[in-house]
Amino acid sequence: MIPRNTIGSPVAALRFGPVVPGNNGRPPYGNGSLGFEVAGKSAADTNDAEKADFGNAVDFVGENLLQVDRVGFHVFQTTENLGYGDPNDGSLGGTNLPSIRFELDPNLSSSVDNYTVAVWRPDPVPVASLNRWSGYLDAARTGSWYLTGGETACNQAARCTFDELQTSLDDGGDAPSILTFGVSKGRDYAWVGAVDGLRLNQYVYDFEANGVNARRVR
């Protein structure tokens, strides 16, 4: 867990499974995954929504975001999670999914701001992939990205592609520098599910009950 980005008492834990019958019923790598249990906003207090961040705050420090060209994961999305999502969402809650987050020093010459978060919001998984493991969700090619601090035109009100995000941070000076890399859920809607096969460039991170295995992609 990344403590400063965790709110409430959510669960983000390495686990076995989940395993269900049929095609794509097992985790895509090994026997385990990263399980999430995150509570959403309640009617009594909209500030009580939880947030969980599970990631690495050591090994990627200082790496150049502009050199990232592969990023994504597999997800175990349930029908129940659709019901927990926004009923006004055109995909009927289908975007109620974990995100990928890079904490960054944007290093923009036009700003003294030395902190932002690049967040990926996935597209809904296909209906055929509900209640089982999805295929690879490619964050470099699908879904949308934004910066939390409004440092560029790629923001929550005007989300962009990954290529557009990188272009917006490339001003010819120092490159945007990664601080942390991980998977997050919250603070919005309840979600119970799992993630596996988190990819960053040439490595896929296989979540297992006894730890995280880095698999080099050939």
Side-chain angles (χ1 to χ4, degrees), residues 71-75 98-100 120 122 134-137 183 195-198:
V71 61
F73 57 47
H74 299 253
V75 67
S99 62
I100 289 174
W120 175 57
S134 75
Y136 176 65
L137 305 183
V183 183
V195 169
D196 196 21
L198 175 65

Side-chain angles (χ1 to χ4, degrees), residues 185-218:
K185 186 67 186 83
R187 306 183 70 193
D188 46 15
Y189 306 105
W191 197 81
V192 180
V195 169
D196 196 21
L198 175 65
R199 182 167 182 176
L200 182 62
N201 285 344
Q202 73 270 34
Y203 285 97
V204 168
Y205 296 93
D206 166 21
F207 297 118
E208 297 294 334
N210 62 351
V212 181
N213 300 322
R215 297 170 175 253
R216 188 176 180 90
V217 180
R218 295 183 179 181

